[in-house]
Amino acid sequence: MTSLKCDGSAPNPVPDIERRFRACRAAAARALAVFVIALTILIAGHAQQLPGSTQSNQTVTGYPADCSDPLLASTAQCGSTTEPYGAMQGIPSQSMQNPLLGAGAARPGEYYSDTESLTRNPAAARQSPQPILPPEKLTEFQKFTASTTGQILPIFGASLFRQVPSTFSPLEMSPVPPDYVIGPDDQLRIRVWGQVSFQANVRVDRSGDVYLPQVGEVHVAGLTSSQLDDHLRAAVGRVYRNFNLTADLGQIRAIQVYVTGEARRPGVYTISSLSTLVDALFASGGPSVNGSLRHILLKRGSEVVTDFDLYDLLARGDKSKDAKLLSGDVIFIPPSGPQVALTGSVRNPAIYELRANETLAGLLKDAGGVSAVASGARVSIERIVDHDNRQAMEVAYDATGLATTLDDGDLIRVFPIVPKYSKTVTLRGNTANPGRFAWHPGMRLSDLIPDKESLITRNYWWKRVQLGLPAPEFESSDFFAYRRQPVENQPVHVRFPQAAQNGANQADQSGANQNDTGAQPTDQANPQQPQSGAGQAGQPGSSQTSNVSAQQRAGSSSIAAGEVLASPQMPPPAQKTEVNLIAPDIDWNYAVIERQDQSDLKTTLIPFDLGKLVLEHDASQNLELQPGDVVSVFSAADIRVPIAQQTKMVRLEGEFLHAGVYTAKPGETLRELVERAGGITSNAYLYGSEFTRESTRAVQQARIDEYVQNLAARIQRSNLALASGVNNASQEQTIGAAQAAEAQLIARLRQMRATGRIVFNLKQDSHGIDSLPDIALENGDRFIVPHVPATVNVVGAVYDQNAFLYQSRGTVEDYLRLAGGPNKDADRKHEFIIRADGEVISHEMERGLWGNDFKSLKVNPGDTIVVPEKTFKPSVLKGVLDWSQVFSQLALGAAAINVLH
């Protein structure tokens, strides 16, 4: 019986032998597949155990496998390519460890320094991140232009090769062109079915042949891909009949090319045979900063195949002169040719390389043209003359000027247009529609400001619209279902969730913008008083606020001592409505035209009476406008007008017959306004009234801030002096504690806010509006008259801080006795009284001939007696510690003497 080998080499095969042959071949293929899978798993596991290593890209090649077998369908022989692509040679191996090349620059399958292939798995190479090349140094011409223009201009086209994305690499599975010439190391995929059925992936050997089972060697080198089917069909047809055949190219061969000259990375590159000149440029990093982008030569032997201008691809998208590469080709990048610098109003300011007889028009075309703001008058050119000096010249931006031939080293600057408006006037300030308007001959102010409605700002109307918005609805489901018990002797503050505080938050936000509207800032000094200011609670002129702390407005979720969470059964806080100025008043007495004299370019201000122009239609104020005029309309927030012309809103609260918000008439005083409001009630306590003013509050706050700043500076100097005299750890700890307390004191002082209260110095028995001072009113003034209080407060270092019923003949000593008297920490020499009218009387002020009369002072309803606590300065503590150490040393010495005796 004829012997049969598994490779199918048997003389005169018969059908039975053919079946046995296919079975043997399938078994061998399965065994080989199992071996390949096991080897791949072993290599992958070993690669994962190595730090920073990647999986090996090498695969096992052998006899073409039967890819119809499911065990072999996913192997490298049935899909993954196995031949090199993109190998780079000629680079020293130590350069691969340069950190400037980026992470993983020396990974397997990316770059190598030997003559082996770059990767054994091109699919993995396509997925690998391309390295970021290190930045090159500036050229001498770049430094030269930077010293002149003040900016570093890039070299046009260099950024294209800075970080080459993987999409620039030729895809292995891209269609093969019909004119592709088959050569050694190409892989052919042959499929035959019909009378005979087989498939094979064969590789062209060095002789240009492929081996087909039962057919033998077939010479295919030199054929094009379009001729392959017919040639193989004729070869198989010599053995079989009645069959169909298809053949195509699988993995294409690799070729070696040389990149020389001024390249970023010159060397020998192993690349795909489908690669072109441009592909090789990307693989090599492109020309260096000293290399030419306009004369890239492809040499094949002694012949120049193409002279490629990369500007055709970059600026015009023309790749027609790109050529395919063959093994052994040389890509030569010569040094850069003449260069010019282009800056100013162009699309791509950069340094450009010139070709012979390059003109200004061609340069601007390569740069993408001029920008929209480029001036069409002239173009500046600075030229180096005979390598000796520089000369400035200008050319017109027309056909003649654009035809100017450029020289090496020219600096071209395209000027932008001058931002000047012609036949235009500008209206700005307190108007509904500020902006620029077209000027026409005979144009006057009445054309620009036709009526008084045109002077009402849009912001005013927006705030008027917000006055009608509904208040936030109370939703009990948003409240917490539990509450905390208040701490004993601590004030209780009811806290509502965020949903009920929207009004307060809006008030804070609008209050920050009050300077824009001209309204007075809110009064933050007294948290018990309703805050004033336009636009609170999202409604200018009407405020709907909640009585919540500043901590809650900031969105803090912490709960302070003595606070209680609101339960769903607790009602929402009462909302308050306030009336304030929505926007500052218009300054009707003054407006101005800003005009530039065309003869000497001096600016002149031409004032006019806005009220007479708009309200009275006075023709003398209807001035004629000229092109370029700027008309400014002011408000009371821009220029301070006389107090008689200001709109003044004053609040009267408390014991008035008609409490409310009133607009004070010009020159009207507080006494006259109270009389116009109907006077005060019989329960009014004028002695305890409170008058606050915003301008006074601003001055008081400035003084407080100045005092705190000076105090902090003195404490800092004192701390430095104490730190220099520290002798031991105990002193250091004590002084550190004192410094921490001082820092807390400064922090509390910085949070102090002035009230703006003005003390009237009224008598305790004052009654009737005749006792009120005849003080002129200002906008934002607030006058609060309470009813007669029934208590006197005692606070501070006493045994019982409390409010006690007023006694008609009670003195300071009587109320201190009711509070248990001062405790051991009380500083009795610095006691003081805060009168109901705001006056302060201290212990030191009441020194008479027969001693101190402070304890016998009569107390009025609503007064507050304050007993401060003692404080110790760090210097006193330091002295006490020093003396205590002396005494302890003496005691130890005496004890030692007693022991010796």
Side-chain angles (χ1 to χ4, degrees):
M1 185 175 182
T2 305
S3 61
L4 177 64
K5 298 180 180 180
C6 289
D7 60 357
S9 57
N12 301 323
V14 293
D16 182 54
I17 296 177
E18 274 190 28
R19 287 193 298 270
R20 296 177 62 184
F21 167 74
R22 286 195 295 269
C24 181
R25 186 179 63 180
R30 290 186 181 92
L32 180 60
V34 173
F35 173 74
V36 169
I37 295 173
L39 182 59
T40 303
I41 295 175
L42 180 62
I43 294 175
H46 177 70
Q48 291 177 357
Q49 294 175 0
L50 297 177
S53 65
T54 57
Q55 296 182 359
S56 174
N57 294 319
Q58 296 184 356
T59 59
V60 178
T61 60
Y63 191 82
D66 184 5
C67 294
S68 61
D69 193 324
L71 293 176
L72 304 181
S74 60
T75 61
Q77 301 183 32
C78 294
S80 301
T81 56
T82 58
E83 282 304 307
Y85 166 71
M88 185 186 71
Q89 304 167 2
I91 296 182
S93 59
Q94 60 268 19
S95 65
M96 293 297 96
Q97 305 299 330
N98 191 338
L100 294 177
L101 296 180
R107 295 175 182 173
E110 292 185 3
Y111 298 109
Y112 290 86
S113 59
D114 53 12
T115 57
E116 294 295 328
S117 61
L118 170 68
T119 178
R120 307 300 296 179
N121 190 346
R126 288 194 300 269
Q127 297 174 0
S128 303
Q130 297 293 333
I132 301 176
L133 298 178
E136 296 185 281
K137 295 182 179 179
L138 298 178
T139 64
E140 185 179 7
F141 189 56
Q142 283 180 298
K143 297 177 182 178
F144 177 77
T145 56
S147 63
T148 303
T149 62
Q151 58 178 334
I152 299 177
L153 296 176
I155 296 178
F156 179 73
S159 60
L160 184 64
F161 304 99
R162 186 170 302 161
Q163 184 179 3
V164 181
S166 60
T167 52
F168 280 111
S169 301
L171 297 178
E172 291 299 317
M173 300 305 295
S174 61
V176 178
D179 59 347
Y180 177 77
V181 179
I182 300 173
D185 212 26
D186 281 338
Q187 185 187 56
L188 305 183
R189 298 186 299 181
I190 303 173
R191 304 291 181 268
V192 180
W193 66 96
Q195 183 182 3
V196 60
S197 176
F198 70 90
Q199 55 186 356
N201 296 340
V202 295
R203 190 172 300 281
V204 182
D205 59 19
R206 294 185 178 182
S207 301
D209 300 335
V210 296
Y211 180 80
L212 298 180
Q214 310 304 323
V215 176
E217 292 185 349
V218 180
H219 188 78
V220 295
L223 297 175
T224 62
S225 61
S226 60
Q227 300 171 344
L228 182 61
D229 280 7
D230 295 339
H231 183 74
L232 291 178
R233 186 176 290 105
V236 177
R238 291 194 296 267
V239 180
Y240 298 101
R241 298 290 183 273
N242 300 326
F243 66 91
N244 291 323
L245 181 145
T246 61
D248 59 3
L249 286 168
Q251 173 61 43
I252 57 178
R253 67 183 181 274
I255 61 175
Q256 281 190 343
V257 296
Y258 300 85
V259 181
T260 61
E262 298 292 338
R264 289 290 298 271
R265 295 177 301 184
V268 182
Y269 288 82
T270 303
I271 59 178
S272 169
S273 56
L274 290 177
S275 299
T276 63
L277 171 62
V278 174
D279 297 329
L281 288 177
F282 283 117
S284 63
S288 66
V289 292
N290 296 316
S292 174
L293 277 76
R294 311 213 65 175
H295 292 283
I296 301 176
L297 304 179
L298 174 60
K299 295 185 177 182
R300 189 168 296 155
S302 59
E303 178 186 358
V304 177
V305 178
T306 184
D307 183 357
F308 187 70
D309 186 356
L310 198 57
Y311 278 28
D312 291 339
L313 176 62
L314 297 175
R316 290 172 285 279
D318 184 6
K319 195 171 173 283
S320 59
K321 292 185 178 181
D322 189 16
K324 294 183 178 179
L325 300 177
L326 298 179
S327 185
D329 284 354
V330 176
I331 300 174
F332 176 71
I333 303 176
S336 175
Q339 290 181 325
V340 296
L342 179 62
T343 184
S345 297
V346 292
R347 302 290 183 184
N348 296 302
I351 293 177
Y352 292 83
E353 184 179 353
L354 300 177
R355 294 190 72 113
N357 300 322
E358 187 87 24
T359 63
L360 178 60
L363 175 65
L364 294 178
K365 184 178 180 181
D366 291 340
V370 298
S371 65
V373 297
S375 174
R378 55 191 175 89
V379 178
S380 172
I381 301 177
E382 298 181 8
R383 178 164 295 175
I384 301 175
V385 181
D386 298 331
H387 295 276
D388 184 20
N389 52 35
R390 303 175 68 182
Q391 178 181 350
M393 54 183 293
E394 291 182 354
V395 297
Y397 191 75
D398 54 15
T400 303
L402 294 177
T404 304
T405 304
L406 301 178
D407 290 345
D408 188 14
D410 283 354
L411 174 60
I412 299 96
R413 184 181 286 108
V414 179
F415 294 103
I417 61 173
V418 178
K420 174 185 177 182
Y421 289 90
S422 60
K423 296 183 179 181
T424 304
V425 294
T426 303
L427 176 64
R428 65 168 187 164
N430 199 95
T431 61
N433 297 303
R436 301 177 184 90
F437 301 89
W439 175 87
H440 57 84
M443 185 176 185
R444 295 185 175 274
L445 285 172
S446 58
D447 299 329
L448 199 61
I449 310 174
D451 47 36
K452 59 181 179 297
E453 284 75 16
S454 62
L455 299 177
I456 304 177
T457 64
R458 295 178 180 269
N459 192 31
Y460 173 85
W461 291 117
W462 276 114
K463 292 183 177 181
R464 286 291 298 268
V465 170
Q466 293 176 10
L467 292 178
L469 294 180
E473 295 183 0
F474 176 76
E475 298 181 2
S476 60
S477 60
D478 293 338
F479 290 150
F480 295 103
Y482 60 92
R483 62 179 66 184
R484 293 188 180 181
Q485 296 298 330
V487 181
E488 187 177 359
N489 295 332
Q490 292 288 343
V492 177
H493 305 283
V494 178
R495 175 178 297 184
F496 285 86
Q498 191 67 27
Q501 298 176 11
N502 293 333
N505 292 337
Q506 295 176 3
D508 292 342
Q509 295 176 0
S510 61
N513 299 325
Q514 287 175 356
N515 292 334
D516 299 336
T517 62
Q520 300 294 343
T522 57
D523 185 1
Q524 301 176 354
N526 192 348
Q528 297 178 355
Q529 296 179 3
Q531 296 183 354
S532 62
Q536 293 184 359
Q539 300 184 11
S542 177
S543 173
Q544 298 176 348
T545 62
S546 301
N547 188 14
V548 295
S549 63
Q551 182 184 14
Q552 277 299 95
R553 291 186 183 129
S556 174
S557 61
S558 61
I559 302 178
E563 293 183 339
V564 59
L565 292 176
S567 66
Q569 291 76 21
M570 297 179 64
Q575 295 177 343
K576 296 183 179 180
T577 301
E578 293 192 1
V579 178
N580 291 284
L581 286 175
I582 295 180
D585 292 333
I586 301 173
D587 187 354
W588 292 105
N589 296 321
Y590 177 81
V592 67
I593 301 174
E594 182 181 344
R595 179 174 297 170
Q596 186 182 60
D597 193 343
Q598 297 300 321
S599 60
D600 54 6
L601 301 181
K602 289 185 178 180
T603 300
T604 305
L605 297 180
I606 305 174
F608 62 93
D609 193 315
L610 182 64
K612 292 183 179 180
L613 171 68
V614 178
L615 302 179
E616 302 177 10
H617 304 287
D618 190 348
S620 63
Q621 302 298 318
N622 193 13
L623 304 179
E624 185 176 358
L625 297 175
Q626 296 182 5
D629 283 353
V630 178
V631 180
S632 300
V633 177
F634 300 95
S635 68
D638 300 322
I639 298 178
R640 195 168 185 176
V641 299
I643 191 171
Q645 300 177 9
Q646 297 177 5
T647 299
K648 299 176 286 293
M649 289 189 177
V650 181
R651 295 183 66 92
L652 300 180
E653 301 181 32
E655 298 297 322
F656 296 93
L657 292 180
H658 301 286
V661 182
Y662 292 86
T663 301
K665 299 178 181 179
E668 190 174 21
T669 63
L670 176 62
R671 184 187 303 169
E672 295 172 347
L673 179 62
V674 172
E675 184 178 1
R676 183 157 62 95
I680 58 179
T681 66
S682 58
N683 295 325
Y685 186 45
L686 286 181
Y687 180 73
S689 61
E690 181 178 352
F691 184 84
T692 58
R693 173 166 291 177
E694 177 56 32
S695 60
T696 304
R697 189 204 62 80
V699 175
Q700 291 176 351
Q701 188 63 49
R703 296 295 179 266
I704 292 175
D705 295 341
E706 183 180 358
Y707 165 74
V708 174
Q709 184 176 0
N710 294 336
L711 179 61
R714 290 199 303 268
I715 290 177
Q716 185 177 8
R717 290 192 297 267
S718 176
N719 291 338
L720 292 175
L722 290 174
S724 61
V726 174
N727 298 325
N728 51 51
S730 177
Q731 291 182 359
E732 182 179 358
Q733 183 178 4
T734 303
I735 294 177
Q739 292 177 354
E742 292 171 347
Q744 293 179 0
L745 173 62
I746 294 298
R748 289 195 299 268
L749 290 177
R750 292 187 189 278
Q751 297 177 357
M752 290 180 58
R753 293 296 178 263
T755 61
R757 182 174 181 177
I758 299 177
V759 179
F760 283 166
N761 292 326
L762 299 175
K763 296 181 180 181
Q764 194 275 336
D765 56 350
S766 297
H767 63 279
I769 60 176
D770 293 337
S771 58
L772 293 177
D774 211 11
I775 182 175
L777 297 175
E778 295 182 6
N779 183 44
D781 286 350
R782 174 176 294 180
F783 187 41
I784 302 175
V785 178
H787 60 83
V788 179
T791 60
V792 173
N793 298 314
V794 179
V795 297
V798 294
Y799 287 98
D800 181 18
Q801 299 185 68
N802 220 322
F804 301 95
L805 291 177
Y806 170 72
Q807 300 176 7
S808 60
R809 297 183 180 181
T811 62
V812 172
E813 186 175 4
D814 296 334
Y815 289 102
L816 287 177
R817 186 181 302 110
L818 293 176
N823 57 29
K824 61 179 181 179
D825 298 325
D827 187 0
R828 302 186 179 184
K829 294 183 179 180
H830 294 88
E831 298 170 348
F832 59 94
I833 301 176
I834 302 177
R835 295 293 190 185
D837 65 343
E839 181 185 7
V840 177
I841 301 176
S842 64
H843 185 279
E844 298 179 350
M845 294 175 56
E846 296 301 319
R847 291 179 180 176
L849 297 177
W850 307 104
N852 195 292
D853 299 333
F854 180 78
K855 295 293 182 66
S856 59
L857 288 177
K858 182 181 178 182
V859 179
N860 301 320
D863 287 355
T864 300
I865 303 173
V866 182
V867 181
E869 295 184 357
K870 296 178 181 178
T871 58
F872 295 94
K873 296 183 179 179
S875 57
V876 177
L877 294 176
K878 183 175 181 297
V880 172
L881 290 175
D882 292 339
W883 281 109
S884 63
Q885 291 178 359
V886 172
F887 292 146
S888 64
Q889 294 296 332
L890 291 176
L892 290 175
I897 294 174
N898 292 332
V899 170
L900 291 177
H901 288 285

